[in-house]
């Protein structure tokens, strides 16, 4: 199998390394907006660098992995679909619903594969939480608390391109909330704070956000995020039911300190970022993609899963901006017909 990797930044480099050592992948073609960066990575991995995206499609590949800046995702998904190629794409499909829906239409029309990169679905802890819910161990689930806390903020120039805290960061918590519980969100109320560095206000974004989400069975969920968690990278989910409570992300590297005399000691090596914390999950999702391409398993996270997560994130953003509850029925889930 020959795979084209478009984008060789942090996550692209990680994915290229995973695929380069996969026993079912014969070779890679790497490309990037910075050709020297792609060439350097190709040299280190013993793979081939292409001068641009066009060569990915003309040199001949069996599948494509997209890890570019978000603005390029939808166009590349469409191009791959029109070429009949399976695609793995980092989230999101696009930063807006029209772009997302158009790309999904192209995939459906071409009847090709699109697997989205929501790596938490492949994390051992989240998988264990899903099993605890689905097996009935927790009894009736009544409360879920999810959180994502980055240790330090991203570069200022990246913020206007990110889509904002809810679409960029909390979308992971939203997706895994649906995956773990098996329930849909029916309404949200969200707010945010831009009291931190001025670059967030200048970008029209917030550095900290919180959302209250009601699931279709009445379960209440909160999802919070911040870009300014100095203690370390902290990602957790607590699920409380009438019989039991479980937590994801609580281990000897969780960056929390107890104030209780008999509480656990502070982490000696707290997590510092998502690549470190979710390394095994990133590898597992790429292994799954290879299996999907080979016809050995069904798609574990298709484009419609990404659409539903984006709709909820969009509802959160509307709620934050307009300071009101938003029902998911207000957010389109299909291309709207035009009349003229």
């Amino acid at each position: 199998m020959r795979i084209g990797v478009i984008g060789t930044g942090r996550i692209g480099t990680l994915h290229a390394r995973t695929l380069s050592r996969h026993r079912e992948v014969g070779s890679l073609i790497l490309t990037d907006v910075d050709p020297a960066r792609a060439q350097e990575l190709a040299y280190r991995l013993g793979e081939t660098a292409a001068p641009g995206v066009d060569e990915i499609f003309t040199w001949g590949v069996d599948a494509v992995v997209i890890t570019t800046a978000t603005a390029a995702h939808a166009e590349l998904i469409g191009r791959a679909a029109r070429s009949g190629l399976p695609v793995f794409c980092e989230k999101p499909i696009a930063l807006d619903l029209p772009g997302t829906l158009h790309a999904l239409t192209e995939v459906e029309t071409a009847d090709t594969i699109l697997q989205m990169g929501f790596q938490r679905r492949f994390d051992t802890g989240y998988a264990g939480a899903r099993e605890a819910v689905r097996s009935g161990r927790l009894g009736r689930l009544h409360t879920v608390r999810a959180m994502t806390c980055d240790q330090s903020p991203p570069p200022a120039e990246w913020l206007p391109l990110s889509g904002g805290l809810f679409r960029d960061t909390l979308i992971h918590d939203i997706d895994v909330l649906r995956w773990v519980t098996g329930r849909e969100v029916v309404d949200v109320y969200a707010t945010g704070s831009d009291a931190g560095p001025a670059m967030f206000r200048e970008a029209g974004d917030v550095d900290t956000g919180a959302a209250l989400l009601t699931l279709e069975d009445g379960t209440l969920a909160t999802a919070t995020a911040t870009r300014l968690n100095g203690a370390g990278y902290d990602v957790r989910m607590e699920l409380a039911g009438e019989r039991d409570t479980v937590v994801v992300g609580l281990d000897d590297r969780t960056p929390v300190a107890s104030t209780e005399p008999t509480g656990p000691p502070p982490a000696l090596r707290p997590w510092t970022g998502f690549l470190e914390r979710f390394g095994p999950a990133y590898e597992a999702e790429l292994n799954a993609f290879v299996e999907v391409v080979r016809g050995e398993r069904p798609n574990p996270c298709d484009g419609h899963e990404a659409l539903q997560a984006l709709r909820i994130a969009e509802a959160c953003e509307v709620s934050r901006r307009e300071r009101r509850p938003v029902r998911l029925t207000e957010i389109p889930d299909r291309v709207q017909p035009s009349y003229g």
Side-chain angles (χ1 to χ4, degrees):
M1 184 185 301
R2 192 182 201 192
I3 296 180
V5 179
I6 307 175
T8 55
R10 287 190 301 172
I11 193 67
T13 295
L14 180 70
H15 288 339
R17 286 173 177 162
T18 296
L19 293 169
S20 185
R21 62 176 180 262
H22 197 290
R23 66 180 182 276
E24 301 295 347
V25 177
S27 63
L28 304 178
I29 302 176
L30 312 178
T31 193
D32 193 89
V33 292
D34 180 353
R37 183 164 67 178
Q39 183 66 59
E40 180 184 0
L41 179 60
Y43 177 79
R44 293 203 309 266
L45 297 179
E47 303 290 355
T48 302
V53 172
D54 289 347
E55 286 75 13
I56 294 291
F57 296 97
T58 59
W59 287 2
V61 295
D62 300 301
V64 174
V65 171
I66 300 171
T67 62
T68 62
T70 298
H73 287 186
E75 191 277 330
L76 290 170
I77 289 170
R79 186 170 182 180
R82 294 189 297 273
S83 299
L85 293 172
V87 175
F88 175 92
C89 185
E90 280 299 324
K91 65 84 189 167
I93 293 173
L95 289 177
D96 59 15
L97 285 165
T100 298
L101 292 167
H102 180 73
L104 288 178
T105 298
E106 295 225 61
V107 171
E108 291 174 357
T109 299
D111 193 24
T112 52
I113 294 166
L114 171 61
Q115 181 181 328
M116 295 304 300
F118 282 105
Q119 87 285 351
R120 295 188 194 182
R121 293 177 176 228
F122 296 87
D123 177 73
T124 302
Y126 284 106
R130 176 183 164 97
E131 174 59 25
V133 172
R134 304 302 179 89
S135 69
R137 169 185 163 185
L138 305 184
R140 184 186 69 86
L141 189 66
H142 54 75
T143 307
V144 182
R145 306 177 188 92
M147 61 185 292
T148 296
C149 303
D150 291 328
Q151 185 174 25
S152 55
E157 61 271 16
W158 181 80
L159 287 175
L161 308 175
S162 71
L165 187 70
F166 291 97
R167 298 186 191 96
D168 177 60
T169 300
L170 272 171
I171 197 168
H172 279 290
D173 298 273
I174 290 166
D175 174 72
V176 85
L177 171 66
R178 296 180 61 247
W179 185 74
V180 167
T181 65
R183 303 294 183 183
E184 295 295 341
V185 174
V186 295
D187 60 52
V188 308
Y189 186 83
T191 188
S193 170
D194 62 3
M199 64 181 185
F200 291 98
R201 292 185 292 279
E202 293 165 357
D205 197 4
V206 293
D207 58 74
T208 303
L212 173 63
L213 308 100
T214 304
L215 306 189
E216 60 190 340
D217 63 347
T219 300
L220 298 180
T222 58
T224 62
T226 185
R227 305 282 198 185
L228 303 163
N229 197 59
Y233 181 72
D234 193 1
V235 173
R236 278 178 280 148
M237 173 182 270
E238 298 175 6
L239 300 104
E242 293 182 342
R243 296 179 184 171
D244 201 359
T245 298
V246 295
V247 58
V248 179
L250 183 61
D251 58 23
D252 60 359
R253 299 192 66 182
T254 305
V256 295
S258 174
T259 60
E260 300 296 335
T262 59
L268 295 177
R269 291 190 310 118
W271 299 109
T272 59
F274 61 92
L275 292 180
E276 181 186 34
R277 165 66 177 84
F278 289 110
Y282 280 118
E283 182 169 350
E285 70 178 356
L286 263 294
N287 291 339
F289 178 61
V290 172
E291 292 174 355
V292 170
V293 173
R294 287 171 54 81
E296 297 171 352
R297 65 175 292 174
N299 191 341
C301 187
D302 65 20
H304 288 280
E305 297 293 291
L307 170 62
Q308 296 311 316
L310 180 62
R311 290 180 65 235
I312 298 165
E314 184 70 20
C316 288
E317 185 57 35
V318 172
S319 178
R320 179 190 75 85
R321 188 171 61 247
E322 300 181 4
R323 303 184 68 83
R324 67 175 178 89
V326 175
R327 293 193 63 81
L328 261 293
T329 52
E330 298 180 46
I331 310 300
D333 62 354
R334 59 183 59 87
V335 176
Q336 300 300 304
S338 59
Y339 303 95

